[in-house]
Amino acid sequence: MRPTARTIAWLAAGVPAALATAVVDGRLWPLWLVALFGVVLAAGIDAVLGLPRRRLGLSLDAPAELFIGGHGQATLTAVGRGWRRRLAIQAVVELDALMTPVPPLAIDLDATGAGTATIELVPRRRGASAIAAVHARWTGPLGLVERRTIVPLGAVVKVVPNVASVRAIALRMFGSAEFLAGLKVERFLGDGTEFESLREYQPGLDHRAIDWKASARHRKLLTTEFRAERNHQVVLAIDGGQLMAEPLGGIPRLDHAINASLLLGWFCLRTGDRVGWASFDERLQAWAEPMSGAGAFPRLRHLSAEVAYRPVETNFTLAIAELSTRLRRRSLIVLFTEVIDAISAELMVENVTRLARRHLVMFVSLRDPGVEAQLRAVPATLTAMTEAVVAADFDRERQVVLERLRHAGVHCIDTTPERFSMAVINRYLDVKRRELF
């Protein structure tokens, strides 16, 4: 227990009263002791009538899982055991660094001695977020004595990659009979590498497609007909270095990349492709062979949840070299990473260019909306002009790196967080339609 500001104000008010009585008549000085005793007595009565700490129960009902980029609600319940009067309680919930701090809560106990408050949980990073304790304080009916307590909660909320958008698109696109009714099997004959059938040779056909063994068995010229492949190999490569930890719109670049990669992985699996996973920073941290089928997407989600935020420099030479040795056939490699300037990105450009000689590489990066705003704004002060010049230099360096990658045959995507996921999907669909891999 401790005195409140009201108690201190009452005691402070007795000082000028005591001085006034001393000036009027020195024999009146005991009146100040009477006033002091009155304040102390009132504080004692307030302490007796207040809710004891041992009778206050606090409990938290929190969701077990939250998506990064989303939000959720938890309910904090306060119960005064044996208390049947109204009481205002102020509470502060102790959150860790994975969650956005919440302002103090006001819990009003009703006549039954119970009350609740809603907590908005907004995750900032993935991981197991601990809600350790709640700090509560309240006063007696006179507001002179304050009680405080700390109640351990020990609640854990898992912050996982956001698959809500994937589920929404799946329900919207593939959950109705109207959508499925328009689907038909398309077979692109005469191109690709998969065997389709044998047909009798006709003038004008490519003589290099003649199957001489089959022709000998059937005693007539037969040619081999191929069809375009549908089981393409797609590898989602996630850079987990320190540049990817920068938050954009309250979410780290790494989580933007993971959300987009999960959406792209779902699309690839839905269209019949095989999807693999790679995450790296100073070395290759995780690798999963490309696979298709119903069990592939849960595997992708599990691997994406284990990508950690690491304050290390990305070693593109080691990571891309090891990735190249694990890929035995031509694949579409979707590389989610970040670039700042041409000098620091020199090794990255060199290794990605080497990778693009054998595979089809899609380079995906995020533009900073803050830099975009500084580029478009009209500077009104010298400081704003300096910031605009620096932002223009960063943007120019970035465009130089992207242009070098495009000249090397790399498909580059550089867009804002709002358009990030759909830009990746649209480019994948365009690459698949053009049969580039």
Side-chain angles (χ1 to χ4, degrees):
M1 291 185 295
R2 64 181 64 188
T4 63
R6 178 180 298 180
T7 305
I8 297 175
W10 284 14
L11 292 175
V15 174
L19 294 177
T21 56
V23 171
V24 174
D25 191 345
R27 292 172 297 178
L28 298 178
W29 67 269
L31 294 178
W32 182 81
L33 294 177
V34 174
L36 177 61
F37 177 77
V39 173
V40 173
L41 179 63
I45 295 174
D46 192 47
V48 172
L49 297 179
L51 175 66
R53 285 183 294 183
R54 65 179 184 276
R55 293 169 58 184
L56 176 65
L58 294 169
S59 61
L60 182 71
D61 182 17
E65 186 177 273
L66 287 178
F67 294 132
I68 185 70
H71 62 87
Q73 290 184 342
T75 302
L76 181 64
T77 303
V79 177
R81 291 181 288 270
W83 186 261
R84 295 294 180 267
R85 296 193 299 273
R86 295 186 177 275
L87 179 64
I89 299 176
Q90 288 186 325
V92 177
V93 180
E94 185 179 336
L95 302 176
D96 60 11
L98 298 183
M99 289 286 181
T100 302
V102 296
L105 306 173
I107 306 176
D108 295 324
L109 301 188
D110 55 19
T112 63
T116 60
T118 301
I119 306 171
E120 289 291 334
L121 299 177
V122 182
R124 297 192 292 190
R125 293 194 170 192
R126 286 174 295 104
S129 177
I131 306 178
V134 57
H135 302 251
R137 67 178 183 180
W138 66 98
T139 63
L142 301 178
L144 298 177
V145 176
E146 176 184 273
R147 284 182 170 88
R148 296 190 179 189
T149 185
I150 301 176
V151 178
L153 297 176
V156 176
V157 179
K158 293 183 178 179
V159 182
V160 299
N162 192 354
V163 295
S165 59
V166 179
R167 293 174 180 171
I169 293 175
L171 292 174
R172 186 169 64 250
M173 296 183 63
F174 299 99
S176 62
E178 289 78 6
F179 180 82
L180 296 176
L183 293 179
K184 63 180 181 180
V185 177
E186 292 184 283
R187 297 190 301 172
F188 296 91
L189 303 179
D191 194 10
T193 59
E194 285 191 359
F195 175 80
E196 170 65 20
S197 62
L198 291 173
R199 60 174 296 186
E200 188 173 354
Y201 177 80
Q202 299 293 334
L205 294 179
D206 188 358
H207 65 276
R208 293 174 298 181
I210 297 176
D211 190 331
W212 295 105
K213 291 184 179 180
S215 299
R217 288 194 303 267
H218 293 83
R219 297 183 181 181
K220 59 181 178 181
L221 285 179
L222 297 176
T223 61
T224 304
E225 202 166 53
F226 297 93
R227 64 182 176 185
E229 287 185 275
R230 283 296 174 267
N231 60 334
H232 297 297
Q233 189 162 281
V234 181
V235 177
L236 306 175
I238 310 295
D239 177 9
Q242 60 184 0
L243 291 182
M244 297 294 286
E246 178 190 4
L248 293 181
I251 304 176
R253 292 179 184 268
L254 180 58
D255 291 302
H256 282 293
I258 289 176
N259 294 344
S261 65
L262 287 176
L263 182 58
L264 177 59
W266 180 83
F267 260 91
C268 296
L269 294 171
R270 192 65 178 83
T271 55
D273 290 336
R274 304 169 66 240
V275 181
W277 176 273
S279 61
F280 60 93
D281 39 58
E282 58 184 353
R283 61 183 178 86
L284 193 65
Q285 295 291 343
W287 164 253
E289 289 285 346
M291 64 176 291
S292 58
F297 187 75
R299 183 187 67 158
L300 291 179
R301 183 183 176 185
H302 175 73
L303 291 172
S304 65
E306 293 183 345
V307 181
Y309 307 94
R310 301 194 63 196
V312 296
E313 193 74 24
T314 303
N315 190 335
F316 287 98
T317 302
L318 181 60
I320 292 181
E322 188 170 353
L323 179 62
S324 300
T325 60
R326 295 175 182 266
L327 296 175
R328 294 179 293 274
R329 56 174 286 192
R330 178 174 169 84
S331 308
L332 170 62
I333 301 176
V334 186
L335 179 62
F336 293 88
T337 184
E338 187 50 45
V339 60
I340 294 182
D341 55 75
I343 297 176
S344 62
E346 186 65 34
L347 284 176
M348 183 269 292
V349 173
E350 179 182 342
N351 287 278
V352 172
T353 301
R354 187 180 301 111
L355 187 66
R357 295 171 186 167
R358 182 183 174 190
H359 304 278
L360 183 66
V361 180
M362 187 184 300
F363 183 90
V364 186
S365 61
L366 267 173
R367 296 181 67 86
D368 190 342
V371 176
E372 293 287 310
Q374 289 179 335
L375 289 174
R376 291 192 300 266
V378 178
T381 63
L382 183 59
T383 301
M385 181 176 295
T386 304
E387 293 175 351
V389 171
V390 173
D393 289 339
F394 275 120
D395 185 69
R396 183 164 49 252
E397 291 280 330
R398 187 186 189 89
Q399 295 307 318
V400 168
V401 174
L402 295 178
E403 195 62 31
R404 289 182 59 188
L405 291 173
R406 292 189 182 99
H407 283 309
V410 178
H411 294 256
C412 296
I413 299 176
D414 186 41
T415 184
T416 57
E418 295 79 13
R419 305 173 183 174
F420 190 55
S421 296
M422 293 313 301
V424 175
I425 294 299
N426 291 334
R427 182 62 63 89
Y428 162 74
L429 295 176
D430 178 64
V431 167
K432 190 173 181 67
R433 178 184 58 83
R434 294 164 58 189
E435 292 288 336
L436 297 180
F437 71 107

